[in-house]
Amino acid sequence: MCGIVGYVGFRNATDVLMEGLKRLEYRGYDSAGVAVKVGGRLEVIKKAGKLSVLGDVLKDEKLPGHFGIGHTRWATHGAPNDPNAHPHTTEDGQIAVIHNGIIENYLPLKEGLLARGHRFSSETDSEVLAHLIEEKYRGDLVEAVRLALSEAYGAYALVVAHQDHEEIVVARTVSPLVIGLGEGENFVASDVPALLPYTRRVIFLHDGDMAVVSREGVRVTDLQGNEVRREVVEVDWSLEAAEKGGYPHYMLKEIYEQPRALENTLGGRLSEARAGVELDLRLDPTRFDRIHLVACGTAYYAGWVGKYLIESLARVPVEIDVASEYRYRDPVVDDRTLVIAISQSGETIDTLEALREAKRKGAGTLGVINAKGSSITREVDDTLYIHAGPEIGVASTKAYMAMLGAMAMLAVWMGRARGVLPEAEARAFLGELRKMPRLVEQTLEKRQEIAHIAEKYHQAADYLFLGRHIQAPTAYEGALKLKEISYIHAEAYPAGEMKHGPIALIDEHLPVVVLTTESPIYEKTLSNIQEVRARGGRVIAVATEGDLEVRRFAQDVIYVPRTHHLLAPMVSVVPLQLLAYETAVLLGRDVDQPRNLAKSVTVE
């Protein structure tokens, strides 16, 4: 999860490192630190707390140098304090390392190092790498790193600096690393936004890659030292797209970017004339007789919506699994199974491991991914990019919207290819799908009335979210957003399940958000609202424009535009995102960096 930056060149390294870490703070904000070569020595400054704490110290502690590494941490091993912050150094200060991931055998390694006289200053697993490299070092830093990694196993993005070398040695297994290419300077980072002020020419390292990054160039090898070729990619994200653009929070900016994100997802792919979509996929959807969707968090709920879409339009049985549980249930998979992995970052470790389990069992694989060049894109048979652009806010919004658009297109693509989706029905559905960016934009105009509802209920201790059929996952996503950024306890249930237990929670203090848009089961959802009202619950309904009936039973109604009932999640989720956002702001929460969370979960 942690943010990593490295620089070697002609600029002030401290400025480059801090600018990069600001752009990566969404990956972790428990502590931060830098190591910069000054006068032939590595000077290390690190502090617990957010990056601003380190920034305040660096205003007084000038580090004039052109070579350095930096880190912002999401804690795994050891509390978020000064000693556990990265970089970690050897006792003599000659070697500094920063690390994202988990070294699974760090305890026996540490015991051996202690027995051989090494002194540790932190509780982290990462510090063992510094001492291991020190033991192996005989003047060749690359060889020392290679030998140290031969004894360590786990997940890592590792960046190593030595005071006697004007080069950064990096290695990755599972955890992401990207190298930025400049003129007379080069960069290392754990994600592209850190590089955008300086370059758009990047190399995405693969699992098992090492690289030596110097002012003169970059050399990539495998862990045995054999040189490998990696493609140089031109990143098409603008610098402005990764900045706030005048909004008070990245999350609000990204909520408002959803119409554009959806346009980018759909753009050039819909063809009502041919009653189909052009996805440029090599996979043959007719060779599969079942589909497994695997994802985590918000991506899981997008996949759950996708299950309804694919089963309705393509008539293929679909299972949806939390990726962290998938491989442990020994899923029944064969070459007639298509496993679809959904991830914004393409680096989510649980999703990646679920994908690998499916591949071992012979499944076909497809990634629905935002980040180009990410690990999942390199391991699947095919990739459907969602083109949402950079998403900085930890609580995902526009990537979720883009995933919904991608799942709708996949469903049509499969349905037409399999001959089960009639031409007229496909054409009508695609016509409605094409309207969605505009309808999402119209829904965003409801922000002020949603803010009033948030003001009314922001002191509530609990929330309940209900939805039926394809709106059940929308309810779960709404509850997740509220939990993530406001810290209010929120539960979600399929509305029909309420009477099987959750109804015991309902009283006059409980706000209940109900997704009650037009659908074939509208009347059943309306009955669920009446059950809530009969127990004194406070109903906030998300309903279709023109629905006057729901006003008889709900204290508050948020209207969304009318659309095809299978596309209703796209407009319905927007009020739930705004409700969570406005509530969190009223409560004084840190919206973009909620406690205990990180953007990309790259450790198990």
Side-chain angles (χ1 to χ4, degrees), residues 191-193 196 200 235-239 241 344 370-371 389-391:
D191 207 349
V192 170
L196 292 179
R200 286 178 176 78
V235 177
D236 57 6
W237 293 355
S238 68
L239 179 59
Q344 188 282 134
N370 190 35
E391 186 177 67

Side-chain angles (χ1 to χ4, degrees), residues 339-385:
V339 173
I340 303 177
I342 309 171
S343 170
Q344 188 282 134
S345 67
E347 302 289 351
T348 310
I349 185 61
D350 291 317
T351 306
L352 188 57
E353 291 297 338
L355 171 71
R356 289 168 174 165
E357 175 68 11
K359 289 177 66 176
R360 282 192 290 269
K361 291 175 176 286
T365 56
L366 172 67
V368 177
I369 308 294
N370 190 35
K372 293 182 179 179
S374 56
S375 295
I376 290 177
T377 67
R378 294 196 295 272
E379 297 203 19
V380 290
D381 298 326
D382 220 337
T383 302
L384 175 58
Y385 286 109

Side-chain angles (χ1 to χ4, degrees), residues 106-265:
Y106 86 98
L107 276 176
L109 290 174
K110 184 173 183 177
E111 289 167 0
L113 288 161
L114 287 168
R116 295 191 294 274
H118 291 265
R119 298 189 307 276
F120 283 73
S121 59
S122 80
E123 306 166 281
T124 70
D125 59 324
S126 305
E127 191 182 353
V128 300
L129 295 172
H131 296 284
L132 269 181
I133 294 166
E134 180 187 33
E135 279 199 341
K136 310 298 181 186
Y137 181 70
R138 300 289 185 274
D140 186 336
L141 183 60
V142 177
E143 182 66 11
V145 173
R146 183 177 297 118
L147 290 171
L149 289 177
S150 71
E151 296 185 18
Y153 59 83
Y156 54 80
L158 177 66
V159 177
V160 183
H162 191 293
Q163 68 178 28
D164 296 339
H165 298 265
E166 288 284 327
E167 62 189 20
I168 303 170
V169 179
V170 305
R172 72 151 284 181
T173 292
V174 179
S175 300
L177 268 182
V178 57
I179 294 172
L181 304 178
E183 297 293 334
E185 60 181 350
N186 288 297
F187 309 81
V188 177
S190 48
D191 207 349
V192 170
L195 307 176
L196 292 179
Y198 313 104
T199 184
R200 286 178 176 78
R201 297 178 62 241
V202 303
I203 297 171
F204 293 99
L205 295 184
H206 296 198
D207 271 6
D209 280 356
M210 288 185 64
V212 181
V213 181
S214 66
R215 186 184 302 228
E216 291 74 30
V218 174
R219 184 169 65 93
V220 183
T221 70
D222 60 22
L223 289 172
Q224 288 71 48
N226 303 305
E227 194 156 339
V228 296
R229 294 180 61 83
R230 295 292 178 237
E231 179 186 6
V232 177
V233 177
E234 192 81 23
V235 177
D236 57 6
W237 293 355
S238 68
L239 179 59
E240 293 75 18
E243 294 180 338
K244 289 183 184 176
Y247 287 89
H249 300 97
Y250 283 113
M251 182 181 179
L252 186 62
K253 172 178 178 273
E254 289 157 5
I255 288 172
Y256 274 86
E257 285 177 340
Q258 288 180 117
R260 176 62 58 84
L262 195 51
E263 283 178 357
N264 291 343
T265 304

Side-chain angles (χ1 to χ4, degrees), residues 364-444:
T365 56
L366 172 67
V368 177
I369 308 294
N370 190 35
K372 293 182 179 179
S374 56
S375 295
I376 290 177
T377 67
R378 294 196 295 272
E379 297 203 19
V380 290
D381 298 326
D382 220 337
T383 302
L384 175 58
Y385 286 109
I386 63 173
H387 300 304
E391 186 177 67
I392 307 302
V394 168
S396 179
T397 52
K398 70 174 182 176
Y400 178 77
M401 183 68 68
M403 288 171 185
L404 296 184
M407 299 313 295
M409 290 190 298
L410 266 178
V412 173
W413 177 72
M414 290 180 180
R416 293 295 290 152
R418 295 170 64 86
V420 297
L421 181 60
E423 182 176 323
E425 187 178 335
R427 187 174 290 114
F429 183 84
L430 291 171
E432 290 297 307
L433 183 56
R434 191 178 291 279
K435 296 176 188 175
M436 293 314 298
R438 176 170 52 83
L439 299 185
V440 170
E441 194 163 25
Q442 290 175 15
T443 309
L444 287 166

